[in-house]
Amino acid sequence: MAKSLINRLVEGFLNAFVQLHIKIPVYKIEHLATLVHHSMDGEKRNFHTSRHALAVSEGQDGIPTLAGLFHDIIYFQIDNGFPMYTHEMLLPFVEIDGDEVFIKPEFDVEDILFTFCLEIFEFQPGQKLSPFSGLNEFLSAFVASKALEEFLTRKQLLMIIACIEATIPFRMPDKRGISAYDRLEMRLRRISIQYDVDFSEHEISQTVRWGVTLANKDVENFAYKDVGEFLDHTWALLPETNGTLWATEVYSIRNYRQALLKMENFLSFLNPDSVFQQYKETPDNQYFNELNQQAHYNIAIARDYLGIKLLNIAIIEALALSTGGDVPISMFLGDIKHGAQKVERAEDYLPKLSLREDLEYNEVLYALLEFGRASDSSFDMKNSPLASFVYKSLGTHKTNEYLNSAKDMFAHRISPEDFLRTIEPNVVCSIAKACAMLAFTRREALLDQYGQIENLMEK
């Protein structure tokens, strides 16, 4: 039987301290587990929860286990601030200005652990912290060190801070070919001398190895062999960065499109070579190459999948905007259907289509659209019958061509009406007619739009 999250966290902390040969009272283990649980399992988190922390820390040695349990305890932009029990630790050293976080120029108290964090992350007093270059990892490392300082030595705390710094994702080597992990090694060596922390060369190297192993575990979903499972994790991230999607029956067509576009933009600019990391043959070359190849494949499929989904929702959005404006997505498409649940959906009124012999398709993409990702999400179905209809109608080449027009509409370079005119009329007509069956307040306008497009087809 599955254990509760809080008890799994308790076990995680207990196992870490056993490996480190440290005995501490059970009630203090409970306090540590509760701190992580309360901080990471709030209503706004969907992926970066304590389940993720447990998955990352599973099977690690004592130090990286503790680092893994704490590595995402702060996630400022998702939580809209700091978790309740971390305020007292953080506010003497950082200040919040709206949605921005700054390290204070001066501190009222001295804290060697905060100094260690500054040194390991190469941050400075007065610096603005960016969520894309270590804000959350930096503050998580400090919370971890403060929560654990009564149990661990300075050296062990430095190791944990370094391991959490290593989880800053998507970093490439600099122009000289020096990686983030090479630089971390150099900083540990310098701090060891500057602050009289007795690190051996082996301990420095081991710490960085732990860090790179933890970092790769943190993004392991990029190497899943089943691209549907990889997309499940991508979908789990969407509500965290697009809070409107939590309101399943309320979020609008535009809300959904903006969430997809944000993720598609991220994956379009993501260099697949930056996902997995290697330090002194950790991991070994064969395994590292396998991880890298799978990341390239999954990211490419995900980009194309999101592109088809974006084109589909762009047609729906254009129909909505040209007939009265944005509305809750369920008005045009129906409520989300899970499993065999009987729910009226727009796709129920689409004509049945098969793949066309004169068009090119990607079999993996088609299967994902037609049969679905690995599982449902709270805000979306796992399969995409409307997007599958669009893909079957247009094929790969025209889908990519029309996606560029959709992005022109999103950027207000063309009107929704002009965008619809670029799409093959039979596709728009079929979708407009299907949506009209559900959105009865827009039925006349949608059928009028449908009629106009049919007239264009006849001409």
Side-chain angles (χ1 to χ4, degrees):
M1 295 178 68
K3 295 180 180 178
S4 66
L5 270 177
I6 186 65
N7 283 327
R8 289 177 63 198
L9 288 167
V10 167
E11 281 190 348
F13 278 107
L14 277 171
N15 291 337
F17 285 114
V18 166
Q19 288 188 66
L20 293 169
H21 307 289
I22 297 172
K23 291 184 179 180
I24 66 172
V26 173
Y27 77 91
K28 292 196 174 184
I29 294 281
E30 290 179 1
H31 289 172
L32 292 170
T34 300
L35 172 62
V36 172
H37 187 40
H38 281 185
S39 299
M40 298 189 69
D41 294 309
E43 60 182 12
K44 294 179 181 177
R45 297 208 190 191
N46 195 51
F47 178 83
H48 293 98
T49 63
S50 59
R51 283 185 174 85
H52 173 64
L54 285 161
V56 169
S57 59
E58 185 180 15
Q60 307 286 340
D61 291 334
I63 290 294
T65 292
L66 294 173
L69 290 169
F70 275 101
H71 81 286
D72 278 334
I73 194 168
I74 302 296
Y75 221 117
F76 180 80
Q77 63 270 35
I78 295 176
D79 298 330
N80 293 325
F82 303 140
M84 183 188 310
Y85 298 103
T86 66
H87 275 89
E88 187 176 340
M89 299 177 194
L90 295 172
L91 292 183
F93 304 97
V94 297
E95 52 193 11
I96 300 172
D97 183 5
D99 59 356
E100 296 180 333
V101 182
F102 297 83
I103 301 172
K104 288 183 177 181
E106 296 179 352
F107 313 127
D108 294 331
V109 295
E110 289 188 11
D111 192 309
I112 189 61
L113 295 178
F114 195 76
T115 300
F116 284 166
C117 288
L118 290 173
E119 295 282 358
I120 288 290
F121 283 78
E122 291 188 299
F123 290 167
Q124 301 293 327
Q127 180 175 337
K128 177 183 172 181
L129 297 175
S130 166
F132 306 108
S133 55
L135 180 159
N136 297 305
E137 292 83 0
F138 174 70
L139 298 180
S140 294
F142 181 59
V143 169
S145 64
K146 293 300 291 181
L148 297 167
E149 69 175 327
E150 66 174 295
F151 315 118
L152 304 182
T153 66
R154 280 191 179 182
K155 183 195 295 185
Q156 291 169 323
L157 293 169
L158 258 175
M159 289 175 166
I160 287 170
I161 293 167
C163 284
I164 295 177
E165 193 277 346
T167 65
I168 298 174
F170 312 128
R171 294 182 288 180
M172 292 292 291
D174 64 19
K175 294 178 181 179
R176 298 170 296 167
I178 299 174
S179 74
Y181 301 93
D182 296 326
R183 293 193 295 274
L184 180 58
E185 176 195 290
M186 289 185 278
R187 291 198 299 278
L188 281 169
R189 190 174 291 115
R190 174 177 53 77
I191 292 166
S192 173
I193 297 169
Q194 184 176 349
Y195 294 94
D196 194 26
V197 180
D198 185 23
F199 267 116
S200 68
E201 283 298 313
H202 172 75
E203 288 171 327
I204 290 173
S205 179
Q206 181 62 69
T207 299
V208 182
R209 290 179 192 277
W210 282 332
V212 77
T213 301
L214 203 65
N216 287 340
K217 187 81 170 171
D218 196 20
V219 294
E220 67 178 353
N221 57 294
F222 280 86
Y224 283 173
K225 299 295 184 184
D226 183 342
V227 69
E229 287 189 29
F230 168 64
L231 284 168
D232 271 359
H233 283 74
T234 304
W235 247 243
L237 289 167
L238 289 176
E240 289 193 344
T241 52
N242 303 273
T244 52
L245 297 185
W246 285 114
T248 305
E249 296 178 359
V250 176
Y251 68 82
S252 73
I253 297 168
R254 181 172 291 166
N255 291 150
Y256 182 72
R257 184 265 296 172
Q258 288 172 333
L260 293 186
L261 184 60
K262 189 185 297 184
M263 184 59 72
E264 195 260 356
N265 284 338
F266 166 69
L267 289 176
S268 293
F269 287 102
L270 177 63
N271 184 341
D273 289 329
S274 73
V275 176
F276 292 102
Q277 306 290 338
Q278 187 181 37
Y279 166 81
K280 294 183 178 178
E281 297 191 1
T282 298
D284 65 67
N285 290 332
Q286 180 179 341
Y287 184 51
F288 176 67
N289 290 333
E290 289 173 1
L291 293 174
N292 209 30
Q293 289 171 11
Q294 193 66 42
H296 275 261
Y297 176 78
N298 285 345
I299 290 169
I301 291 291
R303 287 169 179 165
D304 292 341
Y305 175 82
L306 283 161
I308 298 167
K309 297 271 286 186
L310 267 174
L311 175 59
N312 169 63
I313 202 62
I315 296 171
I316 307 298
E317 183 176 3
L319 287 170
L321 294 176
S322 62
T323 59
D326 193 26
V327 292
I329 196 169
S330 56
M331 180 180 288
F332 270 53
L333 303 186
D335 285 338
I336 295 169
K337 178 167 62 175
H338 297 297
Q341 187 180 13
K342 292 184 178 180
V343 177
E344 185 183 34
R345 295 278 303 174
E347 57 265 22
D348 299 337
Y349 301 100
L350 287 173
K352 302 297 182 184
L353 285 185
S354 300
L355 297 177
R356 290 169 46 178
E357 292 185 0
D358 60 324
L359 296 176
E360 290 185 4
Y361 301 97
N362 181 304
E363 292 181 4
V364 174
L365 282 174
Y366 170 67
L368 287 166
L369 295 165
E370 186 74 8
F371 306 110
R373 303 181 305 275
S375 58
D376 290 321
S377 71
S378 61
F379 67 94
D380 200 11
M381 300 190 308
K382 71 176 182 177
N383 66 325
S384 307
L386 268 168
S388 180
F389 173 82
V390 170
Y391 190 53
K392 284 186 283 190
S393 300
L394 301 176
T396 298
H397 178 72
K398 286 184 179 179
T399 297
N400 293 335
E401 178 185 328
Y402 294 150
L403 178 60
N404 291 328
S405 297
K407 290 182 177 180
D408 285 337
M409 180 186 73
F410 301 152
H412 307 293
R413 290 189 287 266
I414 62 173
S415 69
E417 292 81 5
D418 286 340
F419 166 66
L420 289 173
R421 292 188 191 101
T422 68
I423 309 296
E424 288 191 5
N426 62 305
V427 176
V428 179
C429 285
S430 297
I431 293 175
K433 195 173 180 180
C435 291
M437 298 299 292
L438 274 71
F440 59 86
T441 55
R442 300 284 183 92
R443 186 168 295 160
E444 184 176 346
L446 282 166
L447 292 177
D448 181 55
Q449 182 87 297
Y450 164 67
Q452 292 177 29
I453 297 167
E454 274 197 325
N455 291 335
L456 285 174
M457 290 171 65
E458 292 171 1
K459 292 179 182 179

